[in-house]
Structures are given as C-alpha cells and as structure tokens.
Amino acid sequence: MTSNTNVQRKPAPAPTLGLLAARCPSPQALQKAYENSASLWRLCSELMRCLPEWMDGPFPEIDAEVVATESDKWWRGAAKLAKQLEGPPLEVVMQVRHGWVRRPGSCGRGKR
C-alpha cells in the first residue's frame, strides 16, 4: 500500500449559521422561469413610455403608422401573455388589455 502525501484534501465546507448549503438553480432555469414576467414588465414599460405622448400630443408630430404598429405588437403580446400567466401577473395583463378596449381609439386601437 502506498501513501500519497502530495495529495491535499479540501476541507468540507462549514455550514453557515447551522444551515446546509442550498443548491441554486442554473441561470438558464431562472431565465426560463421568469421569462413571461420579464415580457410583461417590458410590455408595460414600453406602453407607459409611449402612451402619454400619444394621448397628450403634440398631435402633428405623432406618426400614425408607428402608433398602429406598436399597438398591434403590444395587443398581440398581451394576448399571448394572458394565455401563459396566472395569478397577479395575469391580473396586470387583463388590466392593460381592458384599458385598450375601454378607451376607444387610444393607442390606435378601437373597441374589439
């Protein structure tokens, strides 16, 4: 039997405050888990950035093509998220969609 004196063993990690080390999910798993929530907040952010300008003018500077294109993109994105989310995030999506329908003509959308 030979002895390896050159091999050093790493000490076992000490528990922190008596707690065992938890395994963290991979970054890819976290990204997938929060992808729909991130899409929801991006949609809301873009809408809130554009809506005041579109609603309050100056109206001659508003490009109707951009309003129609962006509104359509947001409407479709909200519809997709409504199928994928549940709980409070779904309530946010429904409020955003209800806001489009409630204000005829806002953001280039009429009642549907």
Side-chain angles (χ1 to χ4, degrees):
M1 192 183 315
T2 62
S3 121
N4 290 335
T5 56
N6 294 337
V7 177
Q8 294 179 343
R9 292 188 177 191
K10 292 183 180 179
T16 306
L17 301 174
L19 302 174
L20 296 176
R23 291 189 178 251
C24 296
S26 70
Q28 294 82 8
L30 287 173
Q31 181 179 6
K32 184 167 178 64
Y34 290 101
E35 186 174 336
N36 289 334
S37 293
S39 295
L40 170 62
W41 292 115
R42 264 192 304 279
L43 182 137
C44 290
S45 173
E46 292 173 5
L47 179 63
M48 295 309 296
R49 180 182 54 82
C50 294
L51 192 58
E53 181 181 327
W54 293 348
M55 296 301 291
D56 300 330
F59 296 112
E61 296 176 15
I62 296 174
D63 185 349
E65 294 286 328
V66 171
V67 173
T69 302
E70 292 295 311
S71 296
D72 190 57
K73 178 180 80 171
W74 295 329
W75 183 265
R76 291 176 191 271
K80 180 180 176 185
L81 287 171
K83 294 176 184 176
Q84 297 172 343
L85 294 171
E86 56 187 34
L90 177 59
E91 293 173 22
V92 172
V93 171
M94 298 313 290
Q95 287 177 5
V96 169
R97 293 188 77 195
H98 180 69
W100 263 310
V101 174
R102 201 172 34 142
R103 290 188 303 266
S106 67
C107 296
R109 302 303 287 192
K111 284 192 176 187
R112 290 188 172 235

